[in-house]
Amino acid sequence: MHPYGSPTHCVLHVDVDSFFCQVEELRCPSLAGRPLAIQQHQDVIAVNYPGRAAGVKKHMPPAQARVLLSAAGGLLVHVFTEPDGRVSYRPYREASAALMRLLSSGLPPAAASCVAVVEKASIDEAYLLVAGGQGAGQQFAAQGLGGSTGVALPDMPAWLAANAAATWDCSLGADMAAAVRAAAKAQLGLTVSVGVAPNKLLAKLASRAAKPDGVHVVGGVAAVQALLAATPVDKLPGLGGVAPALQRLGITTAQQLQGHSATSLASLLGGQQQARLAGRLAEAGWGRDEARVVDKGPAKSLQVQMTLTPQMRPLPPNLQAAGRGPIAGQASNAAGGGMLVPLLTGAADTAPRLAAVLGAMAGDLLGRVMLDRHVEDRWPRKLALTLTTSGNPPRSATRSTTFPTPALAAAAAAAAPAPAAAATNSPAKVAAGINGGGVSGAGAKGAAQAPAAPAAAFDAPGVVGEKRYAAGSALHAAVVNLAAGLAQVLVAPLPAGHPVTILNLTASNFGPYEAAAASGSIRRFTTAAAGPPPAAVAAALAALLVAAGGLGRLMPQQREGPL
């Protein structure tokens, strides 16, 4: 037994290289191999490796990134937006779901039999606990292994001195890493890097060392020490926030933490209130991690959040580029064109503007619900709306109702023709910084893919994202109707003139899909809360779009719930 984990198992950390960039390259094959960065409003959120070589960094001002990329023959592309200009993570969520499906059930049988647990860590990374032998995976899953064991932390210096040449067998982990990388490339067109180590911390640090497009195996004490020496302290997962304080004290690498006890680190960081954090730092300095690889299961809720402006401000650049009003900085006209306008309680346009915002949010939420139905075979039973206003003091309240059943969605999908595929990003659109919507996809070899039927599986090799799981207009109208009724209940008691700043629309309380589908007509839920009928909602939305030059007038920012 060594102090980093069990010698009978290993942990893999699978991380997609430049995930957002890779998804965009698959959507638009002309981007492949070029320096590329992804912009979301006025922030650079992702950069591929050729882009980094050109000097572009995350969170760099987009104008500066564009200059550097242009000089290197690269491009700055805005994150995916729906046709009305709203930011959407739809293709990235779908690519993530395909990756997790692959790791959970899509590996070759010999490799799959060794996987004990798959833990989704984020939209583009996962941990795998693997163990050798037929059926060993299930045995180790039951034991809940995956973390550090053995030697007490104060005894680590002596243990290390006595075992400096110790090694352990990582051949199974290396073989599994090769299988995962080959499957991800062949089935999804994605390049991943994999770290192989005895615990989660070392596996994550190893995958970072493996990038881009590689495998890094931590197979002994010397390998652990070398990895810790090469890891900047600000790259320790979950501990980067204290890195500036540590760096000011001369602690710049993870290995340098070995010169400090948990008590001394707590003192350096500000006293006893830092004891827990100091303990984690001390463990990390030796490469120790007690966290287990755990299948967290599907998210308990799916949420879409919209943040509205409390004051007048210019339209975001991506909406300007999409033709959603005059250039930013021009004076607002009577209709507010080109400007983001606060949504005030008690105003004449409060109800239709709320309905328009909720219409967009409902579309995003239903896209997530339909994808979740495909992946998890479940359906939500609760729909909740939380509304927050600014003021003194700010106010926030939540109301909920029953989520509509999927019965009408299935009927609508059967009756309606499949949506026509939209073109992927053209060079002209990419150069203009417009990343269009649509339901098309691109395979690993760049072949355009037709949109999938509403509950189709990820069964086409090389396809990620863009396999739209459409909800149907009737289900969308029902959810908007319910949400608009909840909004009326929440707004009614509020004083007039308070800006609505945050809206959260949440689906939760999931149950088996079959039970929801068999529970009867959707119609009995459309009158559960008072609100305008679907036709009135659609008319209000259409009128508002004409007046505002697009939904951007209403929605400056958007954040989606658990990915």
Side-chain angles (χ1 to χ4, degrees):
M1 179 72 71
H2 57 73
Y4 305 108
S6 168
T8 56
H9 74 270
C10 61
V11 177
L12 272 61
H13 182 255
V14 180
D15 196 352
V16 183
D17 297 334
S18 308
F19 174 68
F20 283 79
C21 293
Q22 280 206 66
V23 173
E24 288 304 320
E25 290 170 8
L26 289 169
R27 295 185 62 244
C28 183
S30 66
L31 297 173
R34 302 175 67 178
L36 179 66
I38 308 300
Q39 170 188 359
Q40 182 169 337
H41 298 313
Q42 288 303 293
D43 187 24
V44 173
I45 64 169
V47 187
N48 68 2
Y49 285 88
R52 297 178 200 184
V56 181
K57 299 179 180 180
K58 286 179 66 174
H59 309 307
M60 175 180 283
Q64 183 181 353
R66 187 175 291 108
V67 170
L68 293 172
L69 289 165
S70 178
L75 290 167
L76 179 66
V77 176
H78 199 278
V79 73
F80 180 84
T81 57
E82 298 291 355
D84 58 19
R86 292 176 294 108
V87 166
S88 171
Y89 277 17
R90 174 165 58 85
Y92 317 113
R93 288 198 310 268
E94 292 171 0
S96 176
L99 175 65
M100 300 308 157
R101 182 185 180 92
L102 171 72
L103 298 176
S104 299
S105 59
L107 295 175
S113 68
C114 297
V115 177
V117 184
V118 177
E119 176 185 332
K120 181 179 179 180
S122 73
I123 192 172
D124 61 347
E125 57 182 330
Y127 292 99
L128 275 65
L129 177 64
V130 301
Q134 188 72 23
Q138 288 68 30
Q139 171 190 345
F140 279 86
Q143 296 178 18
L145 297 176
S148 296
T149 56
V151 182
L153 190 62
D155 299 328
M156 280 299 296
W159 185 93
L160 193 66
N163 295 275
T167 60
W168 42 84
D169 183 7
C170 289
S171 57
L172 173 63
D175 291 344
M176 287 292 297
V180 166
R181 284 167 40 77
K185 190 65 175 178
Q187 297 186 40
L188 305 178
L190 291 173
T191 299
V192 303
S193 292
V194 182
V196 181
N199 62 46
K200 291 174 70 175
L201 171 66
L202 291 174
K204 184 171 177 66
L205 299 183
S207 71
R208 176 182 176 274
K211 287 182 173 291
D213 192 17
V215 175
H216 188 94
V217 178
V218 183
V221 171
V224 171
Q225 290 297 306
L227 181 62
L228 294 172
T231 299
V233 72
D234 62 349
K235 298 302 181 183
L236 290 173
L239 301 170
V242 297
L246 295 173
Q247 290 165 344
R248 286 193 294 270
L249 298 168
I251 303 172
T252 60
T253 71
Q255 188 184 46
Q256 289 173 334
L257 290 167
Q258 295 175 8
H260 302 270
S261 67
T263 302
S264 67
L265 285 169
S267 178
L268 290 172
L269 293 173
Q272 287 302 311
Q273 66 271 24
Q274 299 290 349
R276 183 175 180 181
L277 176 60
R280 291 178 58 202
L281 282 168
E283 292 277 355
W286 293 102
R288 300 276 294 273
D289 184 11
E290 295 183 356
R292 280 10 185 190
V293 181
V294 178
D295 179 2
K296 300 175 182 177
K300 293 183 178 180
S301 65
L302 301 176
Q303 179 190 97
V304 173
Q305 175 176 296
M306 199 72 74
T307 302
L308 307 178
T309 182
Q311 57 190 6
M312 293 277 290
R313 65 184 184 86
L315 205 63
N318 67 303
L319 298 180
Q320 297 171 28
R324 305 297 182 186
I327 300 300
Q330 290 186 357
S332 174
N333 57 30
M339 300 295 291
L340 295 162
V341 181
L343 195 162
L344 302 178
T345 58
D349 63 351
T350 299
R353 290 185 67 188
L354 274 172
V357 175
L358 292 169
M361 294 175 68
D364 292 337
L365 183 64
L366 282 169
R368 300 197 65 192
V369 167
M370 298 300 286
L371 176 59
D372 184 83
R373 175 262 180 274
H374 162 65
V375 175
E376 304 294 343
D377 198 28
R378 60 180 189 160
W379 193 260
R381 291 175 288 202
K382 180 180 177 181
L383 177 70
L385 177 68
T386 300
L387 184 147
T388 303
T389 61
S390 64
N392 191 15
R395 301 190 181 195
S396 182
T398 301
R399 292 291 185 274
S400 62
T401 187
T402 307
F403 199 97
T405 69
L408 196 54
T424 54
N425 285 340
S426 67
K429 288 175 70 179
V430 171
I434 304 170
N435 186 346
V439 294
S440 62
K445 297 182 180 179
Q449 304 290 331
F458 287 97
D459 54 2
V463 176
V464 296
E466 295 296 300
K467 292 179 77 70
R468 190 163 194 163
Y469 297 89
S473 59
L475 180 59
H476 179 268
V479 172
V480 175
N481 185 44
L482 292 174
L486 295 175
Q488 288 185 19
V489 172
L490 291 170
V491 168
L494 296 175
H498 284 217
V500 177
T501 53
I502 301 175
L503 291 167
N504 287 284
L505 194 60
T506 305
S508 62
N509 192 17
F510 288 85
Y513 175 79
E514 288 187 5
S519 62
S521 170
I522 197 174
R523 294 173 191 166
R524 65 192 180 96
F525 296 114
T526 59
T527 56
V537 172
L541 175 59
L544 188 62
L545 287 174
V546 172
L551 282 174
R553 178 172 181 262
L554 303 171
M555 298 175 287
Q557 299 179 32
Q558 179 173 315
R559 182 181 67 80
E560 298 176 327
L563 294 165

